[in-house]
Amino acid sequence: MTLPDNLSRRAMFVKLGILFNGIIAALLAIPIVRYVLSPVTRSRGYEAWLPLGALDQFPAGQTRLGTFRNPDVQPWDGKTAYSDCWVRRIDDHTFQVFAINCMHLGCPVRWFPQSGLFMCPCHGGVYYQDGARASGPPERGLFEYPYKIEEGKLFIKAGQLPTPVSPSIPSAFVDISGKLPCA
Amino acid sequence: MRLIQQIGEWLDARVQLAASLRETAEHPVPRETASWFYVFGSAALVVFVMQILTGMLLAVIYVPSAGEAWNSLQTLNHSIALGWYIRALHGWGSNFMVAIVLIHMVQVFLFGAFKYPRELTWIVGIFLLLMTLGMAFSGQVLRFDQDAFWGLGIGASICSRIPIVGPWMVTLLLGGPIIAGSTLSRFFAVHVFVIPGMLIAFVGLHLLMVLKLGINEWPMPGRIVRKATYIKEYHELTHKDGIPFVPGAVWKDLFFGGCVLLTLAIVAAYFGPYGPSGRPDPTIIQTAPRPDYFFLWLYALLSLLPPEMETPALLIGPVIAILFLLLLPFIFGEGEKTWRRRPIAVLTILLVAVVFGTLTDLGGHVPWSPVMDAWSSDPIPPQFLQNRSALERQGALVFQLKQCHNCHSLGNEGGKRGPALDKVALLLTQDQLIRQVIQGGGNMPAYGKNLSPAETTALVAFLKTLHPTNQPPARDASRSVATEPAVNSPTGTNP
């Protein structure tokens, strides 16, 4: 092996030293990146079936607030471990469970039984009692949790913050093409 | 005194910095730059140092845990001697910091200081601005109250709209599936370690370049920047007609910096700390979260944009704006510096100021939000109820009970989301009123399913009374033709 004339022994060692450090840095980057990305790379999901309480807490024909404790929480999370949802009981066995979050920017919507509307205090998004978009800036209806009834209790599958792109069950989607608000 | 001098000499024999520090302090600057217009950069530095100091003091008590952060702020406010004042200094300091950084940026832009050879100084400055805004937002999160909690939800909703990677970005931002302890911990790390570390490094680089390239000379009409000649001209300016920075120019920086600190101290003492507002309890939903003032414009924009424009505006708008700011010194790197010969630059600043000012003002009034308790707490003013029939008054009750008042005002009371209804009978006929109530439309929900026929009749009867006494309500002209006897037909006698 012939070395180029202008490469001294020391200069080569400097280059080798930089290369050596580069390799070590690349090796160390693997656990660091893995650690930083850990919230998104974990294989088991965040969601679980969570109890909302006995069925008789939710009278038929009414929409009531439900509270659940999220499955993936830490001891120091305090009250933030809990979330609310709106439970609409249509009849004995039919429910709709809506996320509390407006599908515009996530503010908590409030239920007005008199007018049968959910209203958002932030930017004025409004939804009908079935969660469909009524007016305002949201581009879709409220997010709906899957639910099931077991042993007289209502369960929902939850655990992840719903955002405007969270896929909801199909009935919650509304087509707004052709009736865009002129606000 | 001799002892101090001896200690100084002992130190300098080891660190050997005195000569270069003296040289730096006394470097010549153009005579006119010893101006009150050139003090904002140093003032921003003064406030930044103040933020570091008060931040360290707060970190002594603050607990970055979702369960305890709010309680630790209460302790700071009420149980620690002058804890409230340190919080006030830090909170108001952040407002001062954003304001002074923006003023500094406008001054640099209008004085053409971003032009050759100070392009990189400007670019580093843009990053400093972004970091300052990052500190402002993350600082608002650390004040872990209701506004912070739901503000994070807004941030997550915006993040989720990024195509393809949106949901992963949300989880990364929150440090988990929901807004909870992990979220606060990572914002604590970002606010206390990551951004301040970068800020210190970038401020150092920014200052180094100010020293190496010299303070921007006072822009004079006709003094054109050309890459071929600028360095030589600047050198002549500073060495023939320059003054040493210390003491020639620095005294104005010292006075202005001192005044800013004094104002901050007084403002913090008078107005006190920000919040915290309600507990960060997601099960308390009676809340209307609002960002701190430096993001109110965004809050307003998100309400006023048409829905289909929002995602592009949120995701593409900032990229274009930041790219433009970064490329500015390369596009306009030469030519006139003075704002007197750059009318478009001045107009741009005015336009941006008016736009942001208007949006911020609107963000303070939130006319687009329904007034959530207007139906139960804002009565219908008496003039709309006097001399009305029983049916019409029943309609007024329906108006309150069905929350119409939350979005529609009467006599300037109630929501402003929808149009004021004081004169609605002038605009819509009875049939149009019924249709609007039942079917909605024009950004109003349809009430067809939630009003009985009797309620609709009463409500429309009330709405029909909403017109000035001397102006008749709108009527459908064709209706009278169809329903009235033939004597009124066009064949009738005309006077």
Side-chain angles (χ1 to χ4, degrees):
Chain A
M1 185 179 155
T2 55
L3 288 171
D5 294 340
N6 57 356
L7 185 64
S8 74
R9 181 184 154 85
R10 283 175 191 169
M12 193 191 74
F13 275 129
V14 169
K15 284 183 180 167
L16 277 177
I18 292 171
L19 182 70
F20 176 61
N21 276 276
I23 293 169
I24 301 297
L27 281 174
L28 277 174
I30 296 171
I32 291 172
V33 170
R34 180 79 183 75
Y35 173 82
V36 170
L37 293 182
S38 62
V40 288
T41 52
R42 86 175 209 171
S43 49
R44 67 201 151 95
Y46 287 110
E47 294 186 329
W49 285 103
L50 309 167
L52 284 182
L55 284 185
D56 52 16
Q57 288 181 22
F58 306 103
Q62 291 194 22
T63 300
R64 294 262 175 110
L65 202 59
T67 300
F68 59 90
R69 188 179 163 82
N70 285 281
D72 193 77
V73 290
Q74 312 293 343
W76 55 87
D77 280 347
K79 290 274 187 189
T80 60
Y82 295 88
S83 296
D84 272 1
C85 58
W86 287 111
V87 182
R88 176 190 184 212
R89 186 164 189 180
I90 302 169
D91 56 41
D92 275 358
H93 301 289
T94 323
F95 285 81
Q96 277 187 301
V97 185
F98 303 113
I100 200 86
N101 307 90
C102 179
M103 285 293 107
H104 177 226
L105 289 171
C107 292
V109 297
R110 277 182 240 175
W111 167 244
F112 289 87
Q114 299 84 357
S115 52
L117 295 173
F118 295 98
M119 290 191 200
C120 177
C122 283
H123 295 96
V126 183
Y127 306 85
Y128 292 116
Q129 60 179 356
D130 64 352
R133 174 192 177 278
S135 71
E139 293 196 73
R140 54 172 280 190
L142 288 174
F143 176 85
E144 248 187 281
Y145 295 107
Y147 72 92
K148 66 178 182 184
I149 300 165
E150 266 178 19
E151 296 166 358
K153 279 187 177 172
L154 180 63
F155 288 80
I156 58 167
K157 195 167 189 191
Q160 191 140 21
L161 179 76
T163 62
V165 294
S166 304
S168 195
I169 53 178
S171 71
F173 280 104
V174 274
D175 180 25
I176 61 157
S177 56
K179 54 165 190 171
L180 290 169
C182 55
Chain B
M1 281 310 282
R2 274 203 57 163
L3 183 65
I4 293 173
Q5 198 179 351
Q6 277 177 345
I7 292 173
E9 281 166 6
W10 185 91
L11 276 174
D12 197 52
R14 281 148 188 87
V15 296
Q16 300 178 13
L17 275 177
S20 55
L21 279 180
R22 186 169 297 121
E23 196 188 338
T24 304
E26 293 174 355
H27 77 283
V29 296
R31 184 172 295 276
E32 313 91 337
T33 60
S35 152
W36 289 109
F37 278 104
Y38 280 63
V39 295
F40 301 113
S42 61
L45 182 63
V46 167
V47 179
F48 178 51
V49 172
M50 188 71 184
Q51 289 300 89
I52 294 178
L53 181 70
T54 49
M56 288 194 292
L57 292 174
L58 291 178
V60 169
I61 304 293
Y62 182 75
V63 181
S65 124
E68 299 300 334
W70 192 85
N71 292 331
S72 70
L73 293 181
Q74 297 296 347
T75 303
L76 269 166
N77 271 4
H78 302 295
S79 306
I80 309 277
L82 289 176
W84 67 271
Y85 189 59
I86 304 297
R87 280 201 66 228
L89 283 174
H90 199 66
W92 282 100
S94 76
N95 286 354
F96 273 57
M97 180 99 188
V98 173
I100 293 174
V101 163
L102 287 177
I103 294 171
H104 178 50
M105 186 179 168
V106 168
Q107 185 267 327
V108 161
F109 177 72
L110 288 179
F111 281 53
F114 60 89
K115 290 176 187 264
Y116 177 87
R118 300 184 181 83
E119 302 97 332
L120 192 60
T121 321
W122 168 266
I123 290 171
V124 170
I126 297 300
F127 285 112
L128 287 173
L129 171 71
L130 296 177
M131 288 175 207
T132 305
L133 292 176
M135 287 302 277
F137 182 75
S138 54
Q140 192 194 323
V141 170
L142 295 199
R143 193 187 66 222
F144 204 59
D145 54 13
Q146 270 181 346
D147 283 350
F149 182 88
W150 296 104
L152 278 168
I154 293 179
S157 296
I158 292 175
C159 251
S160 75
R161 298 174 183 218
I162 302 172
I164 303 166
V165 294
W168 287 287
M169 292 299 291
V170 172
T171 312
L172 263 188
L173 176 81
L174 302 183
I178 56 168
I179 303 162
S182 318
T183 318
L184 183 59
S185 294
R186 65 182 43 214
F187 272 87
F188 183 76
V190 164
H191 186 83
V192 175
F193 297 107
V194 181
I195 304 183
M198 294 199 308
L199 262 175
I200 291 170
F202 273 66
V203 165
L205 187 61
H206 199 69
L207 279 177
L208 180 76
M209 282 188 289
V210 171
L211 283 173
K212 295 284 177 192
L213 302 171
I215 292 174
N216 185 42
E217 78 281 4
W218 188 269
M220 303 284 269
R223 194 188 274 167
I224 311 285
V225 178
R226 288 188 196 86
K227 286 184 184 171
T229 56
Y230 179 81
I231 303 268
K232 190 163 158 279
E233 286 168 7
Y234 183 79
H235 192 262
E236 278 175 15
L237 194 68
T238 49
H239 284 81
K240 284 193 183 149
D241 190 29
I243 50 170
F245 177 67
V246 178
V250 77
W251 69 270
K252 284 182 176 157
D253 291 284
L254 289 173
F255 268 90
F256 186 73
C259 284
V260 166
L261 277 189
L262 180 65
T263 315
L264 174 60
I266 294 170
V267 165
Y270 185 77
F271 291 104
Y274 280 94
S277 67
R279 275 176 187 280
D281 182 344
T283 62
I284 299 172
I285 60 161
Q286 280 73 19
T287 171
R290 190 89 58 85
D292 285 353
Y293 89 95
F294 20 73
F295 293 113
L296 273 181
W297 61 272
L298 180 64
Y299 187 74
L301 190 68
L302 286 171
S303 169
L304 300 172
L305 281 173
E308 71 278 12
M309 284 283 297
E310 258 181 38
T311 304
L314 276 175
L315 301 182
I316 303 171
V319 176
I320 292 177
I322 292 169
L323 267 184
F324 176 75
L325 286 174
L326 292 178
L327 292 177
L328 185 80
F330 300 107
I331 305 171
F332 305 106
E334 291 186 300
E336 286 278 3
K337 272 187 173 174
T338 175
W339 57 272
R340 291 168 197 273
R341 297 246 172 121
R342 290 164 57 222
I344 296 177
V346 177
L347 284 175
T348 308
I349 289 291
L350 286 177
L351 182 70
V352 170
V354 167
V355 166
F356 278 75
T358 309
L359 286 174
T360 303
D361 182 52
L362 281 170
H365 292 113
V366 290
W368 50 80
S369 295
V371 179
M372 303 297 261
D373 57 357
W375 68 288
S376 52
S377 65
D378 287 351
I380 295 179
Q383 71 263 30
F384 297 104
L385 300 171
Q386 280 158 1
N387 303 321
R388 299 293 193 266
S389 70
L391 178 69
E392 288 158 358
R393 286 187 186 167
Q394 186 63 37
L397 264 180
V398 174
F399 183 84
Q400 289 292 83
L401 275 178
K402 296 293 177 182
Q403 281 96 23
C404 306
H405 214 170
N406 288 15
C407 289
H408 293 287
S409 66
L410 279 177
N412 219 16
E413 285 197 43
K416 297 189 169 56
R417 171 87 218 180
L421 297 184
D422 301 42
K423 298 176 181 175
V424 69
L426 294 179
L427 304 172
L428 297 178
T429 64
Q430 177 169 347
D431 289 353
Q432 287 169 328
L433 283 170
I434 294 172
R435 195 207 60 81
Q436 182 65 34
V437 168
I438 302 279
Q439 297 183 7
N443 207 21
M444 173 173 157
Y447 280 79
K449 287 183 185 163
N450 293 305
L451 287 175
S452 68
E455 285 171 329
T456 309
T457 307
L459 179 62
V460 171
F462 171 65
L463 292 176
K464 272 186 69 188
T465 67
L466 298 177
H467 59 89
T469 40
N470 49 359
Q471 277 180 283
R475 64 186 181 91
D476 185 347
S478 67
R479 194 181 172 92
S480 61
V481 174
T483 53
E484 287 178 22
V487 283
N488 286 344
S489 66
T491 54
T493 52
N494 285 325

